[in-house]
């Protein structure tokens, strides 16, 4: 049923999937909203939500028409509460280990999407909720947002990439402070320490900002965007000389594209280019 809906979704515009805990909505012009909709558990990831989240990611990875993904909550006042601890409480140690591993690999799959991604945080993003947002390329939040990694207060540690992505984003000392104290920060503080790109006054302004960013991204060459993302993501993890080799390899992927010619011709003619992704 979901696959048939997707065919209609990409041919005729938005498809609403109210029965799903994760679904896609087409905003047009290459922008897709990946929406989380588990209101009863404040978007805490259980088995069903995680499965549907992975299914949405597979579509976003395979569908070439998608140029930017915005990850957004449909539940008021919360982005995601992270893992469903009530559900996890009923798991055996082996089941819990397997679920955390699956959660971690799912967030890595989000991070590995070829197209740019934006997390729209409007409310609470704690624990796995923040780890989810850290897996996106960029983050926008509202001032009322409450963001943090409280795991050590529960005698555990961030287990879905938080200990690795947070220090790479905001630096080791600040990341240690947030994890060791388990204290959350507000939206303005999150922007100040580089945890989010932008902090907007309210929900509407945050959504508008995320959509504006997506529109600015999606107008650019899709193959170039994917190449730039790979060059940055892979290159930053290696010494500079190797990073230059990564950039060279990524640049080579765009040399034979028609979009490169379209861009040069539009520049020469002082026109706005229309890229087709080939």
């Amino acid at each position: 049923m979901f696959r048939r809906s997707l065919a209609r979704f990409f041919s005729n515009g938005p498809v609403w999937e109210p029965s799903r805990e994760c679904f896609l909505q087409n905003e047009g012009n290459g922008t897709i909203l990946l929406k989380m909709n588990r209101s009863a558990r404040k978007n805490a990831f259980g088995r069903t939500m995680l499965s549907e989240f992975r299914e949405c990611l597979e579509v976003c990875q395979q569908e070439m028409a998608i140029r930017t993904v915005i990850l957004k909550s449909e539940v008021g006042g919360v982005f995601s509460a992270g893992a469903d601890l009530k559900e996890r409480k009923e798991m055996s140690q082996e089941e819990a280990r397997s679920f955390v591993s699956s959660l971690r690999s799912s967030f890595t799959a989000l991070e590995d999407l070829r197209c740019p991604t934006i997390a729209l945080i409007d409310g609470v993003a704690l624990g796995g909720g923040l780890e989810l947002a850290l897996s996106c390329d960029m983050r926008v939040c509202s001032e009322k947002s409450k963001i943090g990694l409280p795991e050590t207060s529960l005698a555990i540690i961030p287990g879905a990439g938080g200990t690795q992505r947070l220090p790479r984003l905001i630096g080791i000392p600040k990341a240690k402070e947030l994890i060791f104290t388990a204290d959350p920060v507000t939206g303005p503080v999150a922007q100040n320490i580089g945890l989010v790109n932008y902090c907007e006054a309210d929900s509407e302004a945050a959504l508008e900002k995320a959509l504006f960013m997506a529109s600015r991204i999606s107008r650019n060459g899709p193959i170039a965007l994917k190449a730039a993302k790979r060059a940055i993501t892979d290159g930053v993890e290696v010494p500079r000389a190797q990073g230059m080799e990564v950039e060279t390899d990524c640049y080579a992927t765009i040399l034979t594209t028609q979009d490169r010619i379209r861009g040069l011709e539009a520049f020469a003619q002082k026109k706005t280019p229309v890229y087709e992704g080939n």
Side-chain angles (χ1 to χ4, degrees):
M1 177 65 72
F2 183 54
R3 290 294 174 183
R4 288 199 297 272
S5 295
L6 283 172
R8 189 171 73 255
F9 165 67
F10 285 110
S11 61
N12 298 322
V15 165
W16 189 259
E17 296 279 359
S19 62
R20 291 178 59 87
E21 295 179 356
C22 286
F23 62 92
L24 300 172
Q25 181 173 315
N26 188 353
E27 287 294 299
N29 298 318
T31 297
I32 295 294
L33 299 183
L34 198 172
K35 293 189 172 185
M36 300 176 289
N37 190 38
R38 195 185 183 202
S39 59
R41 301 295 302 133
K42 297 182 178 179
N43 287 339
F45 277 85
R47 292 185 177 94
T48 298
M49 183 171 173
L50 187 59
S51 175
E52 293 181 357
F53 181 72
R54 285 300 292 258
E55 189 171 25
C56 289
L57 291 182
E58 289 172 10
V59 173
C60 291
Q61 187 76 308
Q62 296 169 10
E63 178 53 56
M64 297 302 294
I66 297 177
R67 299 189 181 186
T68 310
V69 174
I70 298 175
L71 182 59
K72 179 185 183 297
S73 170
E74 284 294 277
V75 182
V78 62
F79 177 69
S80 172
D84 188 336
L85 297 183
K86 286 189 176 181
E87 187 173 303
R88 189 187 297 184
K89 186 179 179 182
E90 304 302 319
M91 298 178 184
S92 66
Q93 288 187 9
E94 183 57 38
E95 288 173 331
R97 185 180 297 110
S98 176
F99 180 79
V100 171
S101 177
S102 181
L103 191 68
R104 186 184 301 115
S105 67
S106 296
F107 290 1
T108 299
L110 170 61
E111 185 176 44
D112 289 344
L113 284 181
R114 290 190 291 267
C115 63
T117 56
I118 302 170
L120 174 56
I121 304 171
D122 182 33
V124 176
L126 298 175
L130 175 55
E131 291 179 297
L132 175 63
L134 289 171
S135 301
C136 290
D137 297 310
M138 294 154 285
R139 285 150 293 280
V140 178
C141 76
S142 61
E143 289 184 356
K144 70 178 182 182
S145 296
K146 184 179 180 182
I147 304 170
L149 294 174
E151 282 86 350
T152 56
S153 69
L154 300 173
I156 56 177
I157 69 170
T163 64
Q164 303 307 304
R165 294 188 179 98
L166 187 63
R168 284 171 167 80
L169 181 65
I170 66 173
I172 294 174
K174 201 63 184 179
K176 285 181 175 179
E177 178 186 342
L178 293 185
I179 293 173
F180 293 170
T181 64
D183 291 335
V185 297
T186 62
V189 173
Q191 182 181 24
N192 186 52
I193 63 176
L195 184 50
V196 301
N197 296 69
Y198 298 98
C199 176
E200 301 297 325
D202 53 33
S203 305
E204 184 177 345
L207 175 58
E208 184 178 332
K209 185 66 173 183
L211 289 172
F212 174 75
M213 292 171 67
S215 70
R216 298 288 290 180
I217 292 169
S218 295
R219 67 179 183 169
N220 298 323
I223 299 175
L225 288 171
K226 293 178 176 68
K229 178 170 177 174
R230 183 191 155 210
I232 295 169
T233 302
D234 294 353
V236 76
E237 297 292 341
V238 298
R240 185 177 63 180
Q242 289 179 252
M244 292 297 187
E245 294 177 4
V246 172
E247 182 180 86
T248 298
D249 291 342
C250 292
Y251 199 93
T253 65
I254 64 174
L255 287 175
T256 59
T257 66
Q258 292 299 307
D259 275 349
R260 186 180 74 89
I261 304 302
R262 293 184 185 103
L264 293 173
E265 290 177 346
F267 178 80
Q269 298 169 13
K270 298 183 179 179
K271 294 180 178 179
T272 301
V274 178
Y275 297 116
E276 299 180 12
N278 59 10

